[in-house]
Amino acid sequence: MRVLIADEVDAECGSKLRAAGFEVDEKFDVSYDSLKRIIGLYDVLIVRSRTKVTREIIELGKNLKVIGRVGVGLDTIDVKAAEEAGIKVLNTPQMSTVAVSELVMGMMLSLARRIHIANDSMKRGLWEKKKLHGIELNGKTLGVVGFGRIGRAVAERSKAFGMNILVYDVIVDEGALARLSAERVGRVEDLLSRSDVVTVHVPLLPETYHMFGDSAFSSMKQGAFFINASRGEVVDTAALLRALKSGRIAGAALDVFEHEPPETPDEKELVSLPNVLVTPHIGAQTREAQSLGAALIAENIINAFKTL
Ligand code: NAD
């Protein structure tokens, strides 16, 4: 069985698959056009979020039996086209829970204490101690939109910082709610109007596309913070920009963007605002998460071939 690893995946994945008898090619920077030319040679395609597995790729992948996604989101794979072609799609949803939740904690602390602004200012030779007043997280309310693996992990960590937790989700884990003494709200607007920090952890679905637009931002508490480490398309960039420029919200931290890298004038302006903390989709970029994801996808693929 021939495997193509088309995005940068920890070496452990290739080693485990080779040890199990698979022939593995690692082409981490393969372009979309090259992928079109070579995909027909492979039985297995392994990707992260860079490579878009479109219907076109799937149709050209005449020998494809399994697509492995190292990560959670399947929005970069045409799952319907894969199903129609009888191709199994596997992912490793548990790999990034700790990594993303720790990044979000870093973002929240930075927004509250303005660490990113202080850092920029000192590097420009300034000493703006008097300007750099922040707030404490202790006693503040965190609104978690999407109370799945990552949302729950952020809530647990925030509880340790003395925060009150509000939750909005379409399905809720009652055990986790009780454990964190978290309160569930029935309407996202109720969470937005009461939270000092809002953090988003929903998947990208037709129902969550632009879930955060003008109406959501105008429901937020004046001067609150907004964090998005889910998917860029969950947020209407232009609306977020308006909310920040009008002072409706005090700051935002973003790990994900509608275009990656940001390319529209609105996205570029958003990135340039001093009260916006940005990272280039590094949520899952820890040694531990990548090693776990690589091992898990290899094991899932080996197991899948036992039953194919
Ligand atoms: P998960 O499936 O465990 O949790 C998602 C939660 O969102 C679920 O509880 C679900 O019920 C809820 N949800 C779905 N639709 C909703 C809606 N319309 N309104 C409210 N809640 C809704 O997923 P997870 O592991 O917690 O990951 C969440 C998302 O984070 C992923 O889908 C992915 O897009 C993103 N992610 C980003 C990075 C990164 O690098 N920044 C890494 C991993 C995951």
Side-chain angles (χ1 to χ4, degrees), residues 48-49 69 71-75 92-97 99-100 103-104 144-153 168-173 188 200-209 211 228-232 234 254-256 260 279-285 290:
R48 287 181 59 194
S49 56
R69 158 79 163 101
V72 189
L74 293 177
D75 47 291
T92 58
Q94 57 284 59
M95 71 172 267
S96 14
T97 307
V100 179
L103 177 71
V104 169
V144 182
V145 181
F147 196 55
R149 280 173 294 263
I150 298 173
R152 288 196 300 269
Y168 173 75
D169 197 311
V170 284
I171 309 163
V172 159
D173 174 342
V188 72
V200 185
H201 301 291
V202 292
L204 175 61
L205 300 169
E207 310 86 75
T208 59
Y209 177 81
M211 181 177 181
N228 185 18
S230 64
R231 281 292 178 268
V234 170
L254 309 168
D255 185 46
V256 289
E260 295 184 356
T279 49
H281 202 149
I282 58 168
Q285 295 283 69
Q290 290 310 317

Short mmCIF file of all heavy atoms in Angstrom, two decimals, residues 48-49 69 71-75 92-97 99-100 103-104 144-153 168-173 188 200-209 211 228-232 234 254-256 260 279-285 290, ligand 1:
data_model
loop_
_atom_site.label_atom_id
_atom_site.label_comp_id
_atom_site.label_asym_id
_atom_site.label_seq_id
_atom_site.Cartn_x
_atom_site.Cartn_y
_atom_site.Cartn_z
N ARG A 48 -2.70 17.60 6.87
CA ARG A 48 -3.12 18.43 8.01
C ARG A 48 -4.09 19.45 7.40
O ARG A 48 -4.90 19.06 6.57
CB ARG A 48 -1.89 19.08 8.67
CG ARG A 48 -1.11 18.03 9.45
CD ARG A 48 0.10 18.61 10.13
NE ARG A 48 -0.24 19.67 11.06
CZ ARG A 48 0.65 20.52 11.57
NH1 ARG A 48 1.93 20.40 11.27
NH2 ARG A 48 0.27 21.46 12.41
N SER A 49 -4.00 20.76 7.79
CA SER A 49 -5.03 21.66 7.23
C SER A 49 -4.57 22.37 5.96
O SER A 49 -5.38 22.96 5.26
CB SER A 49 -5.46 22.68 8.29
OG SER A 49 -4.34 23.37 8.77
N ARG A 69 -6.61 12.61 8.35
CA ARG A 69 -6.42 14.02 8.70
C ARG A 69 -5.79 14.07 10.09
O ARG A 69 -6.42 13.63 11.07
CB ARG A 69 -7.79 14.74 8.66
CG ARG A 69 -7.87 16.02 9.46
CD ARG A 69 -7.23 17.20 8.72
NE ARG A 69 -7.67 18.46 9.30
CZ ARG A 69 -6.94 19.20 10.14
NH1 ARG A 69 -5.73 18.83 10.49
NH2 ARG A 69 -7.42 20.33 10.61
N GLY A 71 -5.47 15.88 12.92
CA GLY A 71 -6.15 17.04 13.50
C GLY A 71 -7.62 16.75 13.66
O GLY A 71 -8.06 15.61 13.48
N VAL A 72 -8.38 17.83 13.95
CA VAL A 72 -9.80 17.66 14.24
C VAL A 72 -10.67 17.97 13.02
O VAL A 72 -11.43 17.14 12.55
CB VAL A 72 -10.25 18.63 15.37
CG1 VAL A 72 -11.67 18.31 15.81
CG2 VAL A 72 -9.31 18.61 16.53
N GLY A 73 -10.55 19.22 12.54
CA GLY A 73 -11.50 19.76 11.55
C GLY A 73 -11.46 19.00 10.23
O GLY A 73 -10.40 18.77 9.65
N LEU A 74 -12.66 18.64 9.74
CA LEU A 74 -12.73 17.96 8.44
C LEU A 74 -13.24 18.93 7.36
O LEU A 74 -13.59 18.52 6.26
CB LEU A 74 -13.65 16.74 8.54
CG LEU A 74 -13.11 15.61 9.44
CD1 LEU A 74 -14.11 14.47 9.53
CD2 LEU A 74 -11.76 15.10 8.93
N ASP A 75 -13.24 20.23 7.70
CA ASP A 75 -13.75 21.22 6.74
C ASP A 75 -12.81 21.40 5.54
O ASP A 75 -13.20 22.01 4.55
CB ASP A 75 -14.00 22.57 7.44
CG ASP A 75 -12.85 23.00 8.33
OD1 ASP A 75 -12.63 22.33 9.36
OD2 ASP A 75 -12.14 23.95 7.98
N THR A 92 -7.90 12.69 14.00
CA THR A 92 -7.35 12.46 15.35
C THR A 92 -7.85 13.58 16.25
O THR A 92 -7.08 14.46 16.65
CB THR A 92 -5.80 12.45 15.31
OG1 THR A 92 -5.36 13.71 14.78
CG2 THR A 92 -5.25 11.34 14.47
N PRO A 93 -9.15 13.57 16.55
CA PRO A 93 -9.75 14.72 17.22
C PRO A 93 -9.15 15.05 18.57
O PRO A 93 -9.15 16.21 18.98
CB PRO A 93 -11.23 14.34 17.36
CG PRO A 93 -11.32 12.90 17.04
CD PRO A 93 -10.12 12.50 16.27
N GLN A 94 -8.59 14.05 19.27
CA GLN A 94 -8.13 14.31 20.63
C GLN A 94 -6.75 14.96 20.70
O GLN A 94 -6.34 15.44 21.75
CB GLN A 94 -8.18 13.03 21.48
CG GLN A 94 -7.41 11.81 20.99
CD GLN A 94 -8.04 11.03 19.84
OE1 GLN A 94 -8.26 11.57 18.76
NE2 GLN A 94 -8.25 9.74 20.03
N MET A 95 -6.01 15.00 19.56
CA MET A 95 -4.59 15.41 19.63
C MET A 95 -4.38 16.86 20.08
O MET A 95 -3.41 17.17 20.74
CB MET A 95 -3.89 15.19 18.28
CG MET A 95 -4.33 16.15 17.21
SD MET A 95 -3.35 16.04 15.70
CE MET A 95 -2.09 17.28 15.96
N SER A 96 -5.29 17.78 19.70
CA SER A 96 -4.98 19.20 19.93
C SER A 96 -5.68 19.83 21.12
O SER A 96 -5.55 21.02 21.35
CB SER A 96 -5.27 20.01 18.68
OG SER A 96 -6.03 19.32 17.75
N THR A 97 -6.41 19.03 21.87
CA THR A 97 -7.21 19.60 22.97
C THR A 97 -6.35 20.40 23.95
O THR A 97 -6.64 21.57 24.24
CB THR A 97 -7.96 18.47 23.71
OG1 THR A 97 -8.67 17.71 22.73
CG2 THR A 97 -8.92 19.01 24.73
N ALA A 99 -3.17 21.41 23.58
CA ALA A 99 -2.38 22.46 22.90
C ALA A 99 -3.23 23.70 22.64
O ALA A 99 -2.80 24.83 22.93
CB ALA A 99 -1.82 21.91 21.59
N VAL A 100 -4.43 23.52 22.09
CA VAL A 100 -5.26 24.70 21.77
C VAL A 100 -5.72 25.37 23.06
O VAL A 100 -5.68 26.60 23.17
CB VAL A 100 -6.49 24.32 20.89
CG1 VAL A 100 -7.34 25.55 20.61
CG2 VAL A 100 -6.04 23.68 19.58
N LEU A 103 -2.97 27.47 24.41
CA LEU A 103 -2.77 28.70 23.61
C LEU A 103 -3.85 29.73 23.98
O LEU A 103 -3.55 30.92 24.15
CB LEU A 103 -2.84 28.38 22.11
CG LEU A 103 -2.72 29.61 21.20
CD1 LEU A 103 -1.29 30.18 21.23
CD2 LEU A 103 -3.11 29.31 19.76
N VAL A 104 -5.07 29.27 24.13
CA VAL A 104 -6.17 30.19 24.47
C VAL A 104 -5.93 30.82 25.85
O VAL A 104 -6.18 32.02 26.04
CB VAL A 104 -7.54 29.46 24.40
CG1 VAL A 104 -8.66 30.30 24.99
CG2 VAL A 104 -7.85 29.09 22.95
N VAL A 144 -18.03 30.46 26.99
CA VAL A 144 -17.47 29.43 26.10
C VAL A 144 -18.53 29.04 25.08
O VAL A 144 -19.57 28.49 25.43
CB VAL A 144 -17.03 28.18 26.91
CG1 VAL A 144 -16.40 27.13 26.01
CG2 VAL A 144 -16.06 28.57 28.02
N VAL A 145 -18.26 29.33 23.82
CA VAL A 145 -19.22 29.00 22.75
C VAL A 145 -18.69 27.73 22.08
O VAL A 145 -17.67 27.77 21.39
CB VAL A 145 -19.35 30.16 21.75
CG1 VAL A 145 -20.37 29.81 20.66
CG2 VAL A 145 -19.76 31.44 22.46
N GLY A 146 -19.38 26.62 22.31
CA GLY A 146 -18.88 25.32 21.83
C GLY A 146 -18.18 24.65 22.99
O GLY A 146 -17.02 24.93 23.28
N PHE A 147 -18.92 23.77 23.71
CA PHE A 147 -18.40 23.16 24.93
C PHE A 147 -18.02 21.71 24.65
O PHE A 147 -18.46 20.79 25.30
CB PHE A 147 -19.49 23.27 26.01
CG PHE A 147 -19.05 23.05 27.42
CD1 PHE A 147 -18.02 23.79 27.97
CD2 PHE A 147 -19.70 22.11 28.23
CE1 PHE A 147 -17.63 23.61 29.30
CE2 PHE A 147 -19.32 21.92 29.56
CZ PHE A 147 -18.29 22.66 30.09
N GLY A 148 -17.18 21.53 23.61
CA GLY A 148 -16.68 20.19 23.28
C GLY A 148 -15.35 19.98 23.97
O GLY A 148 -15.10 20.57 25.04
N ARG A 149 -14.48 19.17 23.35
CA ARG A 149 -13.19 18.86 23.97
C ARG A 149 -12.41 20.12 24.35
O ARG A 149 -11.97 20.30 25.48
CB ARG A 149 -12.33 18.02 23.01
CG ARG A 149 -12.68 16.56 22.96
CD ARG A 149 -11.87 15.89 21.86
NE ARG A 149 -12.30 16.41 20.57
CZ ARG A 149 -13.18 15.81 19.78
NH1 ARG A 149 -13.66 14.64 20.09
NH2 ARG A 149 -13.55 16.36 18.64
N ILE A 150 -12.22 21.03 23.36
CA ILE A 150 -11.37 22.20 23.61
C ILE A 150 -12.09 23.20 24.53
O ILE A 150 -11.50 23.72 25.48
CB ILE A 150 -10.93 22.86 22.29
CG1 ILE A 150 -10.09 21.86 21.47
CG2 ILE A 150 -10.14 24.14 22.55
CD1 ILE A 150 -9.73 22.32 20.06
N GLY A 151 -13.36 23.45 24.25
CA GLY A 151 -14.13 24.38 25.08
C GLY A 151 -14.10 23.95 26.55
O GLY A 151 -13.90 24.78 27.45
N ARG A 152 -14.26 22.66 26.80
CA ARG A 152 -14.25 22.16 28.19
C ARG A 152 -12.86 22.32 28.81
O ARG A 152 -12.73 22.69 29.98
CB ARG A 152 -14.67 20.68 28.24
CG ARG A 152 -16.14 20.46 27.99
CD ARG A 152 -16.58 19.06 28.43
NE ARG A 152 -15.85 18.02 27.72
CZ ARG A 152 -16.27 17.45 26.57
NH1 ARG A 152 -17.39 17.84 26.02
NH2 ARG A 152 -15.56 16.50 26.00
N ALA A 153 -11.81 22.05 28.00
CA ALA A 153 -10.44 22.17 28.53
C ALA A 153 -10.12 23.63 28.87
O ALA A 153 -9.45 23.91 29.87
CB ALA A 153 -9.43 21.62 27.50
N TYR A 168 -22.44 28.02 26.00
CA TYR A 168 -23.49 27.88 24.97
C TYR A 168 -23.06 26.77 24.03
O TYR A 168 -21.94 26.78 23.50
CB TYR A 168 -23.68 29.19 24.19
CG TYR A 168 -24.64 28.98 23.04
CD1 TYR A 168 -26.01 28.88 23.27
CD2 TYR A 168 -24.17 28.83 21.73
CE1 TYR A 168 -26.90 28.63 22.23
CE2 TYR A 168 -25.04 28.59 20.69
CZ TYR A 168 -26.40 28.49 20.94
OH TYR A 168 -27.27 28.23 19.92
N ASP A 169 -23.92 25.78 23.86
CA ASP A 169 -23.64 24.67 22.93
C ASP A 169 -24.98 24.08 22.52
O ASP A 169 -25.96 24.22 23.25
CB ASP A 169 -22.76 23.60 23.62
CG ASP A 169 -22.11 22.65 22.62
OD1 ASP A 169 -22.82 22.13 21.74
OD2 ASP A 169 -20.89 22.42 22.71
N VAL A 170 -25.00 23.41 21.39
CA VAL A 170 -26.25 22.76 20.98
C VAL A 170 -26.47 21.45 21.76
O VAL A 170 -27.59 21.01 21.95
CB VAL A 170 -26.30 22.53 19.45
CG1 VAL A 170 -26.61 23.82 18.72
CG2 VAL A 170 -25.02 21.91 18.93
N ILE A 171 -25.36 20.84 22.19
CA ILE A 171 -25.46 19.62 23.03
C ILE A 171 -24.55 19.91 24.22
O ILE A 171 -23.43 20.38 24.01
CB ILE A 171 -24.85 18.39 22.32
CG1 ILE A 171 -25.41 18.25 20.91
CG2 ILE A 171 -25.00 17.13 23.13
CD1 ILE A 171 -24.57 17.34 20.03
N VAL A 172 -24.99 19.60 25.44
CA VAL A 172 -24.08 19.91 26.55
C VAL A 172 -23.82 18.71 27.44
O VAL A 172 -24.71 17.92 27.73
CB VAL A 172 -24.57 21.13 27.34
CG1 VAL A 172 -23.98 21.15 28.73
CG2 VAL A 172 -24.15 22.41 26.63
N ASP A 173 -22.55 18.57 27.80
CA ASP A 173 -22.10 17.52 28.70
C ASP A 173 -22.45 17.99 30.13
O ASP A 173 -21.78 18.83 30.70
CB ASP A 173 -20.57 17.38 28.49
CG ASP A 173 -19.91 16.43 29.47
OD1 ASP A 173 -20.51 16.13 30.51
OD2 ASP A 173 -18.77 16.01 29.16
N VAL A 188 -27.26 32.23 22.55
CA VAL A 188 -25.88 32.73 22.55
C VAL A 188 -25.83 34.20 22.97
O VAL A 188 -24.89 34.64 23.63
CB VAL A 188 -25.19 32.47 21.17
CG1 VAL A 188 -25.73 33.36 20.07
CG2 VAL A 188 -23.69 32.58 21.28
N VAL A 200 -14.36 31.05 21.37
CA VAL A 200 -15.17 30.28 20.41
C VAL A 200 -14.50 28.94 20.08
O VAL A 200 -13.34 28.91 19.66
CB VAL A 200 -15.35 31.09 19.11
CG1 VAL A 200 -16.29 30.36 18.16
CG2 VAL A 200 -15.86 32.47 19.40
N HIS A 201 -15.27 27.86 20.25
CA HIS A 201 -14.72 26.52 19.98
C HIS A 201 -15.72 25.63 19.25
O HIS A 201 -15.84 24.43 19.56
CB HIS A 201 -14.25 25.88 21.30
CG HIS A 201 -13.22 26.71 21.97
ND1 HIS A 201 -11.95 26.86 21.45
CD2 HIS A 201 -13.28 27.53 23.04
CE1 HIS A 201 -11.28 27.71 22.19
NE2 HIS A 201 -12.05 28.14 23.17
N VAL A 202 -16.44 26.21 18.29
CA VAL A 202 -17.37 25.41 17.49
C VAL A 202 -16.66 24.96 16.20
O VAL A 202 -15.72 25.61 15.76
CB VAL A 202 -18.63 26.23 17.10
CG1 VAL A 202 -19.48 26.54 18.31
CG2 VAL A 202 -18.26 27.51 16.36
N PRO A 203 -17.11 23.87 15.60
CA PRO A 203 -16.54 23.49 14.30
C PRO A 203 -17.12 24.39 13.20
O PRO A 203 -18.15 25.04 13.41
CB PRO A 203 -17.03 22.05 14.11
CG PRO A 203 -18.19 21.88 15.01
CD PRO A 203 -18.14 22.93 16.07
N LEU A 204 -16.46 24.42 12.05
CA LEU A 204 -17.01 25.16 10.91
C LEU A 204 -18.05 24.27 10.24
O LEU A 204 -17.75 23.20 9.73
CB LEU A 204 -15.90 25.52 9.91
CG LEU A 204 -16.40 26.19 8.63
CD1 LEU A 204 -17.12 27.50 8.93
CD2 LEU A 204 -15.24 26.44 7.66
N LEU A 205 -19.30 24.74 10.27
CA LEU A 205 -20.44 24.04 9.67
C LEU A 205 -21.27 25.10 8.98
O LEU A 205 -21.10 26.30 9.27
CB LEU A 205 -21.30 23.40 10.78
CG LEU A 205 -20.65 22.37 11.69
CD1 LEU A 205 -21.55 22.06 12.88
CD2 LEU A 205 -20.37 21.10 10.91
N PRO A 206 -22.21 24.72 8.11
CA PRO A 206 -23.07 25.76 7.51
C PRO A 206 -23.73 26.63 8.60
O PRO A 206 -23.84 27.84 8.46
CB PRO A 206 -24.11 24.95 6.73
CG PRO A 206 -23.42 23.65 6.43
CD PRO A 206 -22.48 23.38 7.56
N GLU A 207 -24.12 26.01 9.75
CA GLU A 207 -24.79 26.81 10.80
C GLU A 207 -23.83 27.71 11.56
O GLU A 207 -24.28 28.63 12.26
CB GLU A 207 -25.46 25.89 11.87
CG GLU A 207 -26.33 24.78 11.35
CD GLU A 207 -25.52 23.54 11.02
OE1 GLU A 207 -25.11 22.84 11.94
OE2 GLU A 207 -25.28 23.28 9.82
N THR A 208 -22.54 27.42 11.53
CA THR A 208 -21.62 28.26 12.31
C THR A 208 -20.86 29.27 11.43
O THR A 208 -20.14 30.11 11.94
CB THR A 208 -20.59 27.40 13.09
OG1 THR A 208 -19.85 26.61 12.15
CG2 THR A 208 -21.26 26.52 14.12
N TYR A 209 -21.06 29.18 10.09
CA TYR A 209 -20.40 30.14 9.19
C TYR A 209 -20.88 31.56 9.54
O TYR A 209 -22.07 31.81 9.62
CB TYR A 209 -20.74 29.79 7.72
CG TYR A 209 -20.14 30.80 6.76
CD1 TYR A 209 -18.81 30.71 6.37
CD2 TYR A 209 -20.91 31.85 6.26
CE1 TYR A 209 -18.25 31.65 5.51
CE2 TYR A 209 -20.37 32.78 5.39
CZ TYR A 209 -19.03 32.68 5.02
OH TYR A 209 -18.49 33.60 4.18
N MET A 211 -21.14 32.99 12.28
CA MET A 211 -21.97 33.00 13.49
C MET A 211 -21.71 34.29 14.28
O MET A 211 -22.59 34.81 14.95
CB MET A 211 -21.56 31.77 14.33
CG MET A 211 -22.30 31.56 15.60
SD MET A 211 -21.66 29.98 16.31
CE MET A 211 -22.67 29.90 17.78
N ASN A 228 -10.80 33.79 19.10
CA ASN A 228 -11.18 32.74 18.15
C ASN A 228 -9.98 31.87 17.79
O ASN A 228 -9.04 32.32 17.14
CB ASN A 228 -11.78 33.34 16.87
CG ASN A 228 -12.29 32.23 15.93
OD1 ASN A 228 -12.50 31.10 16.36
ND2 ASN A 228 -12.47 32.58 14.66
N ALA A 229 -10.04 30.61 18.27
CA ALA A 229 -9.02 29.63 17.87
C ALA A 229 -9.74 28.43 17.25
O ALA A 229 -9.27 27.31 17.34
CB ALA A 229 -8.18 29.22 19.07
N SER A 230 -10.93 28.69 16.65
CA SER A 230 -11.67 27.57 16.03
C SER A 230 -11.41 27.56 14.53
O SER A 230 -10.46 26.93 14.06
CB SER A 230 -13.15 27.66 16.36
OG SER A 230 -13.77 28.81 15.83
N ARG A 231 -12.22 28.30 13.78
CA ARG A 231 -12.01 28.46 12.33
C ARG A 231 -12.31 29.90 11.96
O ARG A 231 -13.28 30.49 12.47
CB ARG A 231 -12.95 27.54 11.54
CG ARG A 231 -12.51 26.10 11.48
CD ARG A 231 -11.23 25.90 10.65
NE ARG A 231 -10.78 24.53 10.65
CZ ARG A 231 -9.91 23.99 11.51
NH1 ARG A 231 -9.38 24.73 12.47
NH2 ARG A 231 -9.56 22.73 11.41
N GLY A 232 -11.52 30.45 11.03
CA GLY A 232 -11.68 31.85 10.65
C GLY A 232 -13.08 32.18 10.15
O GLY A 232 -13.64 33.23 10.48
N VAL A 234 -15.88 31.22 10.99
CA VAL A 234 -16.94 31.33 12.00
C VAL A 234 -17.20 32.81 12.32
O VAL A 234 -18.25 33.20 12.80
CB VAL A 234 -16.52 30.52 13.27
CG1 VAL A 234 -17.45 30.78 14.44
CG2 VAL A 234 -16.47 29.03 12.94
N LEU A 254 -6.70 36.11 17.86
CA LEU A 254 -7.12 35.25 16.75
C LEU A 254 -5.98 34.33 16.32
O LEU A 254 -4.87 34.79 16.07
CB LEU A 254 -7.50 36.13 15.54
CG LEU A 254 -8.48 37.27 15.81
CD1 LEU A 254 -8.54 38.23 14.63
CD2 LEU A 254 -9.87 36.70 16.11
N ASP A 255 -6.31 33.05 16.24
CA ASP A 255 -5.33 32.08 15.73
C ASP A 255 -5.71 31.65 14.31
O ASP A 255 -4.92 30.99 13.64
CB ASP A 255 -5.29 30.86 16.66
CG ASP A 255 -4.21 29.85 16.27
OD1 ASP A 255 -3.07 30.29 15.99
OD2 ASP A 255 -4.48 28.64 16.24
N VAL A 256 -6.93 32.00 13.91
CA VAL A 256 -7.45 31.52 12.62
C VAL A 256 -8.10 32.67 11.86
O VAL A 256 -8.59 33.63 12.48
CB VAL A 256 -8.46 30.37 12.85
CG1 VAL A 256 -7.77 29.10 13.31
CG2 VAL A 256 -9.52 30.78 13.87
N GLU A 260 -5.96 32.12 5.04
CA GLU A 260 -4.70 31.88 5.74
C GLU A 260 -3.61 31.67 4.71
O GLU A 260 -3.70 30.73 3.92
CB GLU A 260 -4.86 30.67 6.67
CG GLU A 260 -5.87 30.97 7.78
CD GLU A 260 -6.04 29.87 8.81
OE1 GLU A 260 -5.42 28.80 8.65
OE2 GLU A 260 -6.78 30.09 9.77
N THR A 279 -1.89 34.99 15.92
CA THR A 279 -0.93 33.90 15.75
C THR A 279 -1.32 33.14 14.47
O THR A 279 -2.50 33.07 14.13
CB THR A 279 -0.95 32.93 16.96
OG1 THR A 279 -2.31 32.57 17.25
CG2 THR A 279 -0.34 33.57 18.19
N PRO A 280 -0.33 32.63 13.74
CA PRO A 280 -0.61 32.00 12.44
C PRO A 280 -1.07 30.54 12.54
O PRO A 280 -0.36 29.64 12.15
CB PRO A 280 0.72 32.12 11.71
CG PRO A 280 1.74 32.09 12.79
CD PRO A 280 1.12 32.73 14.01
N HIS A 281 -2.30 30.35 13.05
CA HIS A 281 -2.90 29.01 13.17
C HIS A 281 -1.93 28.02 13.83
O HIS A 281 -1.61 26.97 13.25
CB HIS A 281 -3.36 28.50 11.79
CG HIS A 281 -4.42 27.45 11.90
ND1 HIS A 281 -5.39 27.28 10.95
CD2 HIS A 281 -4.67 26.50 12.85
CE1 HIS A 281 -6.19 26.27 11.30
NE2 HIS A 281 -5.77 25.79 12.46
N ILE A 282 -1.48 28.38 15.04
CA ILE A 282 -0.51 27.53 15.74
C ILE A 282 -1.15 26.72 16.87
O ILE A 282 -0.45 26.13 17.69
CB ILE A 282 0.67 28.36 16.32
CG1 ILE A 282 0.16 29.44 17.29
CG2 ILE A 282 1.50 28.97 15.19
CD1 ILE A 282 1.28 30.10 18.10
N GLY A 283 -2.49 26.70 16.88
CA GLY A 283 -3.19 26.02 17.98
C GLY A 283 -2.64 24.64 18.29
O GLY A 283 -2.44 24.29 19.45
N ALA A 284 -2.40 23.85 17.26
CA ALA A 284 -1.96 22.47 17.49
C ALA A 284 -0.45 22.30 17.34
O ALA A 284 0.05 21.18 17.32
CB ALA A 284 -2.69 21.54 16.51
N GLN A 285 0.26 23.43 17.24
CA GLN A 285 1.70 23.35 16.98
C GLN A 285 2.51 23.17 18.25
O GLN A 285 3.32 24.05 18.60
CB GLN A 285 2.17 24.63 16.26
CG GLN A 285 1.58 24.83 14.88
CD GLN A 285 2.25 23.96 13.85
OE1 GLN A 285 2.11 22.74 13.86
NE2 GLN A 285 2.98 24.56 12.94
N GLN A 290 1.68 17.21 18.07
CA GLN A 290 2.07 16.67 16.76
C GLN A 290 2.51 15.22 16.86
O GLN A 290 2.22 14.41 15.99
CB GLN A 290 3.17 17.55 16.13
CG GLN A 290 2.65 18.92 15.69
CD GLN A 290 1.38 18.83 14.84
OE1 GLN A 290 1.24 18.01 13.96
NE2 GLN A 290 0.42 19.70 15.14
P1 NAD B 1 -15.64 19.10 19.51
O1 NAD B 1 -16.38 18.43 18.42
O2 NAD B 1 -15.22 18.29 20.70
O3 NAD B 1 -16.49 20.34 20.05
C1 NAD B 1 -17.24 21.20 19.26
C2 NAD B 1 -18.49 21.60 20.04
O4 NAD B 1 -19.20 22.60 19.28
C3 NAD B 1 -19.45 20.43 20.28
O5 NAD B 1 -19.75 20.32 21.66
C4 NAD B 1 -20.68 20.81 19.45
O6 NAD B 1 -21.90 20.36 20.03
C5 NAD B 1 -20.59 22.33 19.44
N1 NAD B 1 -21.34 22.94 18.35
C6 NAD B 1 -21.50 22.51 17.08
N2 NAD B 1 -22.30 23.35 16.39
C7 NAD B 1 -22.67 24.33 17.24
C8 NAD B 1 -23.50 25.48 17.13
N3 NAD B 1 -24.11 25.79 15.97
N4 NAD B 1 -23.65 26.26 18.22
C9 NAD B 1 -23.04 25.95 19.39
N5 NAD B 1 -22.25 24.88 19.56
C10 NAD B 1 -22.07 24.06 18.51
O7 NAD B 1 -14.38 19.78 18.83
P2 NAD B 1 -13.04 20.30 19.53
O8 NAD B 1 -12.03 19.23 19.55
O9 NAD B 1 -13.39 21.00 20.81
O10 NAD B 1 -12.57 21.38 18.43
C11 NAD B 1 -13.38 22.51 18.15
C12 NAD B 1 -12.90 23.18 16.87
O11 NAD B 1 -11.63 23.78 17.11
C13 NAD B 1 -12.62 22.20 15.70
O12 NAD B 1 -13.77 21.88 14.99
C14 NAD B 1 -11.61 22.95 14.88
O13 NAD B 1 -12.30 23.72 13.90
C15 NAD B 1 -10.95 23.89 15.88
N6 NAD B 1 -9.54 23.58 16.08
C16 NAD B 1 -8.62 24.55 15.87
C17 NAD B 1 -7.27 24.28 16.06
C18 NAD B 1 -6.22 25.35 15.86
O14 NAD B 1 -5.11 25.01 15.49
N7 NAD B 1 -6.52 26.59 16.15
C19 NAD B 1 -6.85 22.99 16.43
C20 NAD B 1 -7.82 22.03 16.68
C21 NAD B 1 -9.17 22.34 16.49
#
